[in-house]
């Protein structure tokens, strides 16, 4: 799903908490839990003229996604009438992506920011890993961001906008039992740096590389287990969704930053 939001006159002071609103054009595929409800509001803090947001929780039924999309659309349109639009697309289907282009063209001719946050994430021990799992993890973590950027390139170029990819702070150094996922995220970082060179000077391309932002919902961790994991984080705590969304807001207007992979991991990568 994609949520688009037109020019806002809401001030930074009053627009504190929504990641899908703002004053520049924004496209961020697949909201995972790491930057969910709070982050959607965060972009209200920035100077964003048009916004596009697409998200999809792993294992979440399509009906629930549609319901949440509608709730966001209604909430944003109460703030500004006819400011938010929802478009659905299957990024594994080229025809669906072309239809997405057509639908966006009916609403705007430029996008100021594209945030590629699509991600599948699950363990794939090598002895049981399959080519289907490899295709799924590559598609959501690398292929879709690459070709969605390609599809929306004319819109981003018209605005002299930017692309922000969402990576993973541990992926480049490897993650035990997650080799397929780590490979896909490493590919995304390579794509980020390559496109930064290829699309300059008109378009900036960066990546945000989060560490532990929320405790995993599928693990019932004890306080002792949590403390043990936090020993690997220099700041001794997990992050907040706002730590990611505030950086996305900053990068959307940081006109002299491109080709960077910025870690937001509380110092996890330096321990």
């Amino acid at each position: 799903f994609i949520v688009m939001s037109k020019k806002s006159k809401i001030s930074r002071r009053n627009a504190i908490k929504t990641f899908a609103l703002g004053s520049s054009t924004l496209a961020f595929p697949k909201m995972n839990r790491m930057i969910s409800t709070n982050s959607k509001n965060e972009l209200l803090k920035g100077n964003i003229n048009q916004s596009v947001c697409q998200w999809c929780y792993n294992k979440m039924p399509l009906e629930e996604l549609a319901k949440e999309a509608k709730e966001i659309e209604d909430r944003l349109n109460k703030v500004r009438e006819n400011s938010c639009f929802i478009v659905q697309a299957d990024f594994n289907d080229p025809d669906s992506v072309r239809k997405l282009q057509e639908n966006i063209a009916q609403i705007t001719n430029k996008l100021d920011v594209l945030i590629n946050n699509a991600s599948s994430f699950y363990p794939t021990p090598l002895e049981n890993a399959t080519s289907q799992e490899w295709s799924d993890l590559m598609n959501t973590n690398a292929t879709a961001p690459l070709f969605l950027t390609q599809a929306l390139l004319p819109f981003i170029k018209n605005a002299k906008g930017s692309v922000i990819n969402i990576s993973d702070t541990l992926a480049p150094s490897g993650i035990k039992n997650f080799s397929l996922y780590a490979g896909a995220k490493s590919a995304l970082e390579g794509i980020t740096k390559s496109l930064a060179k290829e699309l300059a000077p008109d378009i900036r391309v960066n990546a945000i590389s989060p560490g532990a932002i929320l405790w995993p919902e599928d693990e019932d961790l004890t306080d002792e287990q949590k403390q043990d994991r936090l020993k690997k984080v220099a700041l001794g705590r997990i992050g907040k969704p706002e730590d990611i969304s505030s950086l996305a807001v900053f990068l959307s207007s940081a006109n002299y930053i491109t080709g960077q992979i910025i870690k937001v991991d509380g110092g996890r990568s330096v321990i």
Side-chain angles (χ1 to χ4, degrees), residues 60 84 91 129 136 159 162 254 263:
M60 179 180 284
C84 181
F91 296 116
D136 174 59
S162 70
K263 293 182 181 294

Side-chain angles (χ1 to χ4, degrees), residues 39-237:
S39 311
K40 294 168 193 169
N41 295 327
E42 180 69 17
L43 283 175
L44 277 174
K45 296 171 66 177
N47 267 334
I48 311 263
N49 284 322
Q50 301 236 5
S51 300
V52 182
C53 164
Q54 180 270 337
W55 69 98
C56 175
Y57 298 119
N58 285 340
K59 302 180 181 178
M60 179 180 284
L62 184 59
E63 294 77 10
E64 291 185 34
L65 289 171
K67 180 180 178 182
E68 183 170 351
K70 180 61 177 174
E71 289 174 353
I72 292 175
E73 180 185 35
D74 291 343
R75 185 165 69 248
L76 302 191
N77 280 328
K78 284 182 180 179
V79 177
R80 285 178 285 120
E81 187 177 359
N82 296 323
S83 66
C84 181
F85 307 85
I86 296 175
V87 181
Q88 182 178 355
D90 178 356
F91 296 116
N92 290 325
D93 181 355
D95 290 334
S96 184
V97 173
R98 282 191 289 272
K99 184 64 176 178
L100 172 67
Q101 290 175 296
E102 295 171 4
N103 289 335
I104 292 178
Q106 293 176 6
I107 301 169
T108 183
N109 65 351
K110 66 179 183 177
L111 299 176
D112 297 307
V113 185
L114 165 65
I115 302 184
N116 285 311
N117 186 44
S119 181
S120 292
F121 176 77
Y122 48 83
T124 54
L126 183 59
E127 63 269 21
N128 298 318
T130 67
S131 59
Q132 183 177 357
E133 290 173 330
W134 173 247
S135 295
D136 174 59
L137 289 164
M138 280 297 293
N139 281 343
T140 58
N141 289 292
T143 305
L146 174 63
F147 288 102
L148 184 58
T149 301
Q150 180 192 58
L152 299 181
L153 196 58
F155 300 90
I156 304 169
K157 194 168 185 178
N158 283 345
K160 288 189 175 296
S162 70
V163 176
I164 302 173
N165 294 318
I166 305 298
S167 186
D168 186 309
T169 192
L170 295 179
S173 58
I175 308 172
K176 183 179 179 180
N177 292 328
F178 287 81
S179 57
L180 305 189
Y181 167 80
K185 283 299 190 185
S186 297
L188 180 63
E189 294 194 4
I191 289 169
T192 298
K193 294 178 180 180
S194 297
L195 290 183
K197 295 179 179 180
E198 182 176 346
L199 302 181
D202 295 326
I203 297 173
R204 296 178 296 106
V205 185
N206 295 290
I208 298 173
S209 186
I213 302 301
L214 294 175
W215 292 115
E217 294 185 342
D218 57 353
E219 295 183 46
D220 188 17
L221 298 176
T222 65
D223 289 340
E224 184 178 354
Q225 288 173 317
K226 290 181 180 179
Q227 288 304 314
D228 185 58
R229 293 193 180 189
L230 290 178
K231 291 178 182 178
K232 300 177 182 179
V233 180
L235 295 182
R237 58 180 172 82

Side-chain angles (χ1 to χ4, degrees), residues 8-25:
S8 169
K9 295 183 179 180
I10 299 175
S11 68
R12 289 177 66 96
R13 179 178 179 181
N14 294 327
I16 301 298
K17 295 194 172 199
T18 311
F19 200 56
L21 261 182
S23 69
S24 109
T25 303

Side-chain angles (χ1 to χ4, degrees), residues 237-249:
R237 58 180 172 82
I238 63 171
K240 299 178 181 179
E242 292 86 351
D243 294 325
I244 306 302
S245 55
S246 61
L247 179 56
V249 172

